[in-house]
Amino acid sequence: MPVSRRGLLAGTAVAGVALAVPGTASAAPADASTGSRIGPDDARYQDLVTRGQNRRFVGKPDYIRVIRSPQDAVAAVQDAVRNGKRIAVRGGGHCFEDFVDSTDIEVVLDMSANTKISWDPQYRAFSIGSGAILENVYKELFFGWGVTVPGGGCLGVGVGGHFAGGGYGPLSRKYGSVVDHLYGVEIVVVDARGRARAVVATRDNAYRDLWWAHTGGGGGNFGVVLRYLMRTDGATGRTPEESLPKAPAALLSSVLFYDWSKVTQADFHRTVRNWFDFFEQHNTPDSPYATLYAPFILTHQKAGQSLLSTQIDAAAPNAQQLMDDFNAAITAGVKVKPQLLPVPAGPFLHLTMARSIGETASPSRAKYKAGYLKKGYTDAQIDAMYRGLTDASYNGSESSILLVPYGGKVNTVPSNATAAAQRDVVAKMVLAASWESATDDATHLAWARKVYADIYRDTGGAPVPNAVSAGSYINYPDTDLADPAYNKSGVPWHDLYYLGNYPRLQQIKAKWDPRNVFHHKLSIEPA
């Protein structure tokens, strides 16, 4: 049953247990040169402009430049600023909105050739080029030093935006967000006189404010990130092997398959409530379940099946018993039990690859909406999920609602210690509508907006911070939250994404990007 960006769940066969193994994300041709502007008449142009993974948006920039070095980036930014060109930066191409592929973008700086991963002895940290994708990051760190970062499960995602927005994944309940391991960032910025330059900002140098802005402030706000310097907060950097978390040696896994033809509303409600209850009860970093990760992919009924895919560190004490107890907790009180498919324990990296969200060579059109949860949804909200997923008038076999465990170690960091403010949560929700044809845009957008509005009916159609919700995740941007036609809560979009950290981000924006060179539909406004 391959899991992909196309609706997160594609296909309904139960026979195979292996989830899709992604290929390497598209990259610029090896001979691409930043010395020339790659315009529409260049053979490389079309491949570069279609690297984005959401086909709702395909830009038509005047030209593209492929960035390989700090010198390339400074020259490219300076040239664009001098000529008054609107700039955007593409890393992995997975932005949910048109922040790169907007019709008003004139210059795209493509980072896909900027992929070097190494140990930097000067900063005593791992240096990761902003064009690297997670698959290569995991391989280099693990094979080279036996370490890892708690990043995402979609291995084609580029680190450029993933890290800057906070970053999380299967190991975050044990090791925190990615930005809890961010020591520094090298970035090209533009001053008030329009002069471009590269600076290195770390958590302990004079540019600490710029470092802080990249611990959850999101991509495309302050400049062109060239590389990230990774060293866990509190680590000395004395040796590479002790500077980032140790990766598990092996993972134990299981999959629960839910046949929609047998799922009643009562069973759906009980199953989702069980999932929420479990992670509320096991949400401390010292929990024996800290390494357990169980994303619940709830597809639309017309997909035929949903699945709950679980993994845990095989070296955890009584790992098999913990897994069995978790599956028992999820199915407790459910009349029609799902099919349980145990997966033998296997090597960490191998299973991480096999269980990842796969890349696709032919991306679809999509709309994503999301929210943080401090605790499980109310009964009314779970019922709203069920209504949306069983809407017989909607032909959305590739659409879904994803529930993702979070919290644990993440919640031990103060809200203002990083720009990623949500530090009292247990889960994230991602609603994804996915389809093929532009002629169907209105239908699928309407479904996504209707279901989301129904889930957040009591708070004006938005995840307003309260006892249940904690806003949303900037790496899952949704421009609807800035539109009063959809966000009727009266709470501005930036408070939903940044909570109380937004004023500080505005001040840093005014200092480091005073001309507002880097902006998009949900960018930080200068103070």
Side-chain angles (χ1 to χ4, degrees):
M1 178 176 289
V3 176
S4 71
R5 276 284 181 185
R6 179 168 294 174
L8 295 177
L9 184 67
T12 57
V14 181
V17 304
L19 304 184
V21 180
T24 302
S26 301
D31 62 347
S33 170
T34 56
S36 61
R37 300 175 179 182
I38 301 173
D41 294 333
D42 193 300
R44 299 167 289 183
Y45 181 86
Q46 199 59 33
D47 275 305
L48 288 168
V49 298
T50 56
R51 285 189 59 234
Q53 289 292 304
N54 188 348
R55 282 295 186 265
R56 282 179 63 209
F57 312 113
V58 178
K60 296 181 179 179
D62 295 348
Y63 62 87
I64 302 160
R65 281 188 159 166
V66 179
I67 304 302
R68 297 179 180 278
S69 68
Q71 295 77 17
D72 287 344
V74 170
V77 171
Q78 191 67 74
D79 179 56
V81 170
R82 184 183 303 114
N83 290 287
K85 296 289 188 179
R86 179 94 155 74
I87 304 173
V89 184
R90 192 192 305 282
H94 288 77
C95 185
F96 287 173
E97 296 285 2
D98 63 342
F99 295 170
V100 176
D101 293 311
S102 176
T103 56
D104 62 346
I105 296 297
E106 297 167 300
V107 178
V108 172
L109 306 185
D110 187 280
M111 308 303 291
S112 60
N114 181 41
T115 60
K116 184 178 180 182
I117 302 167
S118 62
W119 173 255
D120 188 324
Q122 176 182 354
Y123 292 101
R124 292 177 291 119
F126 288 96
S127 173
I128 301 177
S130 60
I133 62 172
L134 291 176
E135 177 180 351
N136 292 336
V137 171
Y138 296 153
K139 286 179 178 178
E140 290 288 336
L141 294 179
F142 183 67
F143 289 144
W145 298 274
V147 299
T148 192
V149 292
C154 181
L155 300 192
V157 165
V159 303
H162 182 66
F163 285 11
Y168 80 99
L171 296 177
S172 286
R173 282 166 32 84
K174 176 69 173 180
Y175 295 123
S177 296
V178 171
V179 292
D180 299 332
H181 307 272
L182 178 63
Y183 173 70
V185 58
E186 184 173 14
I187 180 172
V188 176
V189 294
V190 179
D191 64 21
R193 293 181 294 173
R195 182 183 61 180
R197 63 188 175 111
V199 299
V200 176
T202 72
R203 70 165 73 105
D204 53 14
N205 74 4
Y207 305 140
R208 187 178 188 277
D209 59 342
L210 187 58
W211 161 82
W212 183 87
H214 286 83
T215 62
N221 277 307
F222 302 96
V224 181
V225 175
L226 299 170
R227 60 176 177 145
Y228 292 99
L229 296 167
M230 306 302 296
R231 189 212 309 162
T232 301
D233 189 16
T236 64
R238 183 174 55 185
T239 67
E241 290 80 5
E242 63 182 8
S243 297
L244 285 175
K246 288 289 186 183
L251 297 175
L252 189 65
S253 307
S254 74
V255 179
L256 291 176
F257 290 101
Y258 292 82
D259 183 343
W260 262 116
S261 68
K262 300 176 181 179
V263 175
T264 64
Q265 182 171 357
D267 276 355
F268 177 92
H269 193 111
R270 182 61 187 263
T271 298
V272 173
R273 175 62 65 208
N274 287 347
W275 189 92
F276 283 134
D277 286 348
F278 182 89
F279 286 107
E280 285 184 48
Q281 296 163 12
H282 301 281
N283 195 32
T284 59
D286 59 351
S287 166
Y289 289 98
T291 62
L292 186 138
Y293 182 69
F296 204 164
I297 306 172
L298 297 160
T299 62
H300 189 273
Q301 192 175 51
K302 291 188 177 179
Q305 290 182 323
S306 293
L307 67 83
L308 175 59
S309 177
T310 307
Q311 69 178 54
I312 192 171
D313 185 346
N318 303 311
Q320 185 61 62
Q321 187 63 54
L322 292 173
M323 178 74 77
D324 293 343
D325 290 348
F326 169 75
N327 287 326
I330 295 300
T331 57
V334 177
K335 291 184 178 180
V336 179
K337 305 295 184 183
Q339 179 185 359
L340 172 63
L341 193 63
V343 182
F348 162 71
L349 191 58
H350 174 79
L351 281 187
T352 295
M353 297 279 292
R355 297 172 58 82
S356 71
I357 298 174
E359 204 75 343
T360 174
S362 55
S364 60
R365 307 172 74 82
K367 176 64 178 178
Y368 300 90
K369 303 176 79 66
Y372 278 108
L373 290 89
K374 294 181 181 179
K375 58 187 295 186
Y377 280 141
T378 65
D379 289 347
Q381 288 177 303
I382 295 175
D383 288 341
M385 292 170 59
Y386 180 82
R387 284 193 296 273
L389 294 173
T390 58
D391 180 356
S393 67
Y394 175 62
N395 187 19
S397 61
E398 295 180 350
S399 298
S400 63
I401 295 176
L402 173 67
L403 299 177
V404 190
Y406 197 50
K409 181 70 172 179
V410 171
N411 294 348
T412 65
V413 177
S415 182
N416 62 358
T418 64
Q422 287 85 355
R423 297 290 184 165
D424 57 351
V425 294
V426 300
K428 301 190 187 194
M429 182 280 291
V430 188
L431 188 157
S434 181
W435 65 98
E436 295 300 319
S437 174
T439 60
D440 296 327
D441 283 5
T443 297
H444 294 278
L445 289 170
W447 176 83
R449 287 164 173 161
K450 178 183 177 181
V451 176
Y452 193 75
D454 200 11
I455 292 173
Y456 295 109
R457 178 185 302 176
D458 293 341
T459 53
V464 174
N466 57 21
V468 172
S469 296
S472 194
Y473 178 42
I474 193 59
N475 277 357
Y476 298 155
D478 174 13
T479 56
D480 288 352
L481 292 179
D483 188 338
Y486 306 111
N487 176 8
K488 301 176 182 179
S489 69
V491 178
W493 68 267
H494 46 74
D495 287 353
L496 297 174
Y497 286 113
Y498 300 115
L499 306 184
N501 285 341
Y502 188 64
R504 183 177 176 186
L505 286 166
Q506 287 186 287
Q507 293 171 359
I508 298 169
K509 173 74 169 179
K511 175 181 176 181
W512 287 100
D513 186 21
R515 297 163 65 106
N516 202 22
V517 171
F518 304 96
H519 63 277
H520 50 72
K521 289 182 174 65
L522 294 180
S523 58
I524 295 163
E525 293 290 332

